[in-house]
Amino acid sequence: MTLAAATATVAAADPHGFLSPTGVEIAFLLVGLVTLGAALVTVTTRQLVHAALWLVVALGGLAVEYLLLTAEFIAWVQVLIYVGSVVVLLLFGLMLTKAPIGRSPDADSGNRWAALTVAVAAAVALVWVIVDAFRTTWIDLDGPAAGTTEVTGASLFRHWVLPFEALSVLLLAALVGAIVLSRKARADATAAPAVPGKEGVR
């Protein structure tokens, strides 16, 4: 068997390749670029409300990426929890604390180069770990959804039930601690301070 015949056999056995992307892979790349751009605008803008709105675009782009990877359950969790809860909580925090709506010089700490260095190092490390772990793994994007609720639930409660329960206990402890701290602060605020020199005055 010649080298050309062996190459043709390998190409026929492995139809995947970077030089022949499918429509789903092209859409994945385009949505990824939009998500990356929205994330960059989120961390570079000096308007807090605009940063929160661009964060919605970035998190929504991640949800679309999960859908393209046939992980529909993770996609809807991304939309409900992050887009529907975390970002709304940030916006309410901005409104209730009377944060500046327009351009704010306080949004820039002056440590952009240090932050950029840490971000690039973290991105390189994450990309290296993911590529090394899933180098030979291919997802059939044209096949049935692999990330349905049934599949995700079975994997979660069969292989990851102990970390799941530990996380639930941790969240419960945090909730109880927040309640205790808020009640103590409210009790301290409602307690009337004693006025010195007024005890004997009638």
Side-chain angles (χ1 to χ4, degrees):
M1 181 181 291
T2 62
L3 181 60
T7 305
T9 303
V10 172
D14 187 11
H16 302 286
F18 294 103
L19 298 180
S20 58
T22 63
V24 177
E25 293 172 346
I26 295 175
F28 184 88
L29 178 61
L30 294 178
V31 174
L33 292 176
V34 172
T35 304
L36 178 61
L40 291 176
V41 175
T42 300
V43 298
T44 55
T45 183
R46 293 188 179 182
Q47 298 189 8
L48 297 179
V49 176
H50 288 181
L53 295 179
W54 280 109
L55 182 61
V56 172
V57 178
L59 296 177
L62 286 178
V64 175
E65 298 282 58
Y66 288 137
L67 280 179
L68 293 176
L69 290 175
T70 70
E72 57 181 24
F73 176 72
I74 305 299
W76 293 122
V77 168
Q78 174 83 11
V79 171
L80 292 176
I81 294 180
Y82 287 97
V83 179
S85 298
V86 174
V87 177
V88 172
L89 180 62
L90 289 176
L91 292 175
F92 270 100
L94 292 176
M95 291 186 293
L96 293 177
T97 56
K98 297 181 180 179
I101 302 299
R103 184 177 295 273
S104 175
D106 297 335
D108 190 1
S109 63
N111 297 323
R112 289 194 174 190
W113 289 110
L116 180 61
T117 304
V118 173
V120 170
V124 170
L126 287 175
V127 169
W128 181 79
V129 168
I130 292 175
V131 170
D132 184 67
F134 301 99
R135 185 185 303 274
T136 59
T137 302
W138 293 92
I139 299 176
D140 186 10
L141 301 178
D142 297 326
T148 60
T149 307
E150 180 180 0
V151 174
T152 305
S155 175
L156 178 64
F157 292 105
R158 182 178 301 162
H159 305 290
W160 303 96
V161 61
L162 185 59
F164 181 80
E165 293 298 331
L167 180 61
S168 64
V169 173
L170 179 62
L171 293 176
L172 180 61
L175 179 62
V176 173
I179 294 175
V180 171
L181 292 176
S182 63
R183 289 177 62 88
K184 182 179 178 180
R186 182 178 299 178
D188 294 340
T190 55
V195 179
K198 297 292 184 180
E199 289 82 356
V201 179
R202 295 185 179 273

